[in-house]
Amino acid sequence: MRDLTAQTSAQAYVPGVFDDLTAGLGLRMSFAQNEEIYSQEEEAEFIYKVISGAVRTTRLLADGRRQIGDFYYPGEFFGLEPKEEHRFSAEALCDTVVLVIKRSTIQSSGSSELQHEIWQATAQELTRAQDHLLLLGRKTACEKVASFLCNLARRQSAEIVALPMGRQDMADFLGLTIETVSRMLTQLQKGRSVRFVDHRHFRIENPDAIACMCE
Amino acid sequence: MRDLTAQTSAQAYVPGVFDDLTAGLGLRMSFAQNEEIYSQEEEAEFIYKVISGAVRTTRLLADGRRQIGDFYYPGEFFGLEPKEEHRFSAEALCDTVVLVIKRSTIQSSGSSELQHEIWQATAQELTRAQDHLLLLGRKTACEKVASFLCNLARRQSAEIVALPMGRQDMADFLGLTIETVSRMLTQLQKGRSVRFVDHRHFRIENPDAIACMCE
DNA sequence: CGATCGATTGATTCCAATCAACGTGAGTGG
DNA sequence: CCACTCACGTTGATTGGAATCAATCGATCG
C-alpha cells in the first residue's frame, strides 16, 4: 500500500457528503483505476470507506484463479477484518477516493457510536457474504447472473442501471468465465428479462422473471 | 424456535468450562440431533454460543437446494447478524447444548469487553466466510474436499480427526453432491494423502500433498 | 434374518469450461 | 480520413468435470 504519510492535504471535511461519524477522521486518498489499495496478506492496520468511485476485493490462488469477494460503492466500509492480516486485496474499479482510518484511532476516539456503526457494517458485510455463499454454491450460471443484475438494480434503484465493472470482474465474482457470463446475458436478453442499452448499462424489463431466478 | 421461558434450571455457571465473559449470562438450552435452533427469516433476537456438540447453519432455495454456511464447535459464537432477520437457519448436528443470550442484554450489560469479543467473533466469522467464498467459487471438487479435511484437522489438532457430520452435510457445505464427495475421498485415499479408519474418522497421511491442494 | 440408512461405485448425461474465431469501438499515427 | 492496433465482448465448436441415475455394499437394529 502507498505511504500514508505522503498525503496530508486531503483531510478537509466536505459538508453534506456524509451525515456520519467518520467526518474529520482519517485521510482521504485517491487511487487510479486498477490501483491496489491494500494487498492480500498485508497487515490490516486500517479500515476504509469509499467516498467516490468503486472498489473490489480480490483473492488469488497460486495458479492465477481469482475470486472477487465483493464490490463497494460510496458510503460503504471495506477492509473490516479482525486484526491479523487481510485475506483479500482491494483495488479501485475506477478512479476512486477512499477515506482511510487507522484502527487505533477508532479505539481511542472513544466514540461508542462509531464502534457500533463499524460493528453494524461488519455484520452487514457478513450478511452479504452469506448471500454470496448460496449463490456460488448452489445457483446455476443463469441464476448467478440474474441475481447479480438484480442486486445491482436494487442498490441503485434507478431506471437505467450502471455496471461499474467489466465482464471479467463479473465472472470472478460469480465463479464463472467471461464467456459464460456473456452467454447468460444474451440469454436473459432473448428472454426479454433485461435489455442492455450498451455494454455497461441495462434496464430490467421483467422484474418478476428476474426475481424468480434470484429466489 | 422453542419457547425460552420453558427452561429455567440450566443457568448454573460451570466453572472451568469457559474463561470468558459470557459466564452467568443467558440461558442454556439443549437440542436433539437435527433439531432446529432458529429458522431462516426468524428475527435475530438472540446470539448463541456452542457449549457442547456442534451446529450447522443452512439456507434453502425454494426447490430444496441447500447451502451450509458453516459448522460451529464448542466455544464458538453463531447467529451473529445485524438486527433484522436470520439469513440462515441453525440446526444441531448432534445432541447439543447452546448458550442463548438476548441481544438487548449485551447492550445493557455495558460490558465493552463483551461487545468487543462479539465484534471479534463477527469479524472472525467474516474471515471464514471469505475463505469459503474462494473455495466455492474457484476450487475443484478435489481441492474442496481436501481443504475441508485440512481445516477440520487444523481446528482439532489431533492425530485422528473426527468428522462430526455426514456426507450430505459435507456436500452441502462444499457445493457438491454426496457422490462426488465420496469419490474425492476415495481418490485422496488412493493417493495416500489421507486414511479413513471409519466413515467418521480419518488421519492425514501426507500433510504436504493436502496443504498444496488447499493453496 | 430381513429391513433400513448411509456410503460407495459404476454408467451416462449435461452444464459450464475451454479453445478458437469474429465483431466492435476507442485510440493512434500515417 | 483511413488503416492499424488493442482491449473488450460475443458467438461457435468441442471437451471435460461434476451431476444424475442406478446398483451395490456395509453397518446397525429390531
Side-chain angles (χ1 to χ4, degrees):
Chain A
M1 206 189 112
R2 298 187 311 178
D3 182 9
L4 277 181
T5 60
Q7 287 210 352
T8 52
S9 62
Q11 295 186 63
Y13 172 51
V14 178
V17 174
F18 297 111
D19 58 344
D20 65 11
L21 304 152
T22 55
L25 280 180
L27 279 173
R28 285 177 184 229
M29 293 182 68
S30 297
F31 295 89
Q33 182 170 23
N34 293 321
E35 194 178 352
E36 188 178 70
I37 299 171
Y38 58 78
S39 75
Q40 201 171 323
E41 288 160 11
E42 177 171 314
E43 200 202 333
E45 188 181 357
F46 306 98
I47 65 169
Y48 304 84
K49 189 174 191 173
V50 181
I51 292 180
S52 67
V55 171
R56 64 169 175 259
T57 53
T58 68
R59 182 137 166 218
L60 290 172
L61 288 170
D63 61 3
R65 283 175 286 175
R66 189 177 77 146
Q67 179 65 46
I68 290 184
D70 216 338
F71 298 103
Y72 299 89
Y73 304 107
E76 298 178 345
F77 284 101
F78 65 100
L80 300 155
E81 284 156 86
K83 39 180 185 273
E84 306 154 40
E85 60 182 25
H86 287 296
R87 302 298 259 243
F88 283 61
S89 64
E91 294 137 12
L93 259 188
C94 50
D95 291 353
T96 295
V97 179
V98 164
L99 184 68
V100 184
I101 309 172
K102 214 174 169 84
R103 273 162 197 278
S104 55
T105 306
I106 297 161
Q107 310 284 355
S108 63
S109 80
S111 163
S112 71
E113 284 169 82
L114 178 55
Q115 281 184 35
H116 187 254
E117 192 191 351
I118 286 168
W119 183 78
Q120 282 282 99
T122 308
Q124 169 66 28
E125 184 103 327
L126 181 57
T127 298
R128 270 161 54 175
Q130 286 173 334
D131 289 346
H132 199 180
L133 288 180
L134 179 68
L135 178 145
L136 289 174
R138 289 302 183 205
K139 289 189 180 174
T140 64
C142 191
E143 291 169 336
K144 286 177 176 182
V145 172
S147 304
F148 182 74
L149 297 182
C150 188
N151 275 330
L152 262 183
R154 187 144 29 80
R155 285 212 221 176
Q156 294 187 25
S157 63
E159 198 62 12
I160 302 287
V161 186
L163 274 174
M165 71 291 291
R167 298 292 187 265
Q168 187 64 59
D169 283 340
M170 289 179 61
D172 288 340
F173 180 81
L174 299 173
L176 299 172
T177 59
I178 35 173
E179 293 96 327
T180 300
V181 169
S182 189
R183 277 183 247 275
M184 295 304 122
L185 288 174
T186 58
Q187 188 178 312
L188 287 171
Q189 279 196 98
K190 280 179 182 160
R192 299 273 181 275
S193 300
V194 298
R195 172 185 297 276
F196 275 75
V197 300
D198 64 46
H199 289 164
R200 294 283 187 122
H201 298 271
F202 68 94
R203 59 187 303 157
I204 292 193
E205 299 270 271
N206 187 340
D208 294 344
I210 291 285
C212 134
M213 281 190 282
C214 305
E215 172 65 321
Chain B
M1 207 191 109
R2 299 188 312 180
D3 182 10
L4 278 181
T5 60
Q7 285 211 352
T8 53
S9 62
Q11 296 186 61
Y13 172 50
V14 178
V17 174
F18 296 112
D19 58 344
D20 65 11
L21 305 152
T22 56
L25 280 180
L27 282 173
R28 284 176 185 233
M29 294 181 68
S30 297
F31 294 90
Q33 182 170 24
N34 294 322
E35 194 178 353
E36 187 178 69
I37 299 171
Y38 58 78
S39 74
Q40 200 170 324
E41 288 162 10
E42 177 172 314
E43 201 203 333
E45 189 182 355
F46 305 98
I47 65 169
Y48 304 84
K49 189 173 191 174
V50 181
I51 292 180
S52 66
V55 170
R56 65 168 175 260
T57 52
T58 68
R59 182 136 165 219
L60 289 172
L61 289 168
D63 61 4
R65 282 175 287 176
R66 188 176 77 146
Q67 178 65 47
I68 290 184
D70 217 336
F71 298 104
Y72 300 89
Y73 304 106
E76 298 178 345
F77 284 101
F78 64 100
L80 301 155
E81 285 157 85
K83 40 182 183 273
E84 308 155 37
E85 59 182 23
H86 288 297
R87 303 295 261 242
F88 282 61
S89 65
E91 294 137 12
L93 259 188
C94 51
D95 292 352
T96 295
V97 180
V98 163
L99 183 69
V100 184
I101 309 172
K102 216 176 168 84
R103 274 162 197 279
S104 55
T105 306
I106 297 161
Q107 309 283 355
S108 63
S109 80
S111 163
S112 71
E113 283 169 81
L114 179 56
Q115 282 184 34
H116 187 254
E117 193 191 351
I118 287 168
W119 182 77
Q120 282 283 98
T122 307
Q124 169 66 27
E125 183 103 329
L126 181 57
T127 297
R128 270 161 54 175
Q130 287 173 334
D131 287 347
H132 199 179
L133 288 180
L134 180 67
L135 178 145
L136 289 174
R138 290 301 183 205
K139 289 190 181 175
T140 64
C142 192
E143 290 169 337
K144 286 177 176 182
V145 172
S147 303
F148 182 74
L149 298 182
C150 188
N151 274 331
L152 263 183
R154 187 143 28 81
R155 285 213 222 176
Q156 293 185 25
S157 62
E159 198 63 11
I160 302 287
V161 185
L163 274 173
M165 72 291 292
R167 297 292 186 266
Q168 187 64 60
D169 282 340
M170 288 178 63
D172 288 340
F173 180 81
L174 299 173
L176 300 171
T177 59
I178 36 173
E179 293 95 328
T180 300
V181 169
S182 190
R183 277 184 247 273
M184 296 305 121
L185 288 175
T186 57
Q187 189 177 312
L188 288 170
Q189 279 195 98
K190 282 179 182 161
R192 299 274 182 275
S193 300
V194 298
R195 173 185 297 276
F196 274 76
V197 299
D198 65 45
H199 288 164
R200 294 283 187 121
H201 298 271
F202 69 94
R203 59 185 303 156
I204 292 192
E205 298 272 88
N206 187 340
D208 294 343
I210 291 284
C212 132
M213 280 190 282
C214 305
E215 161 67 325

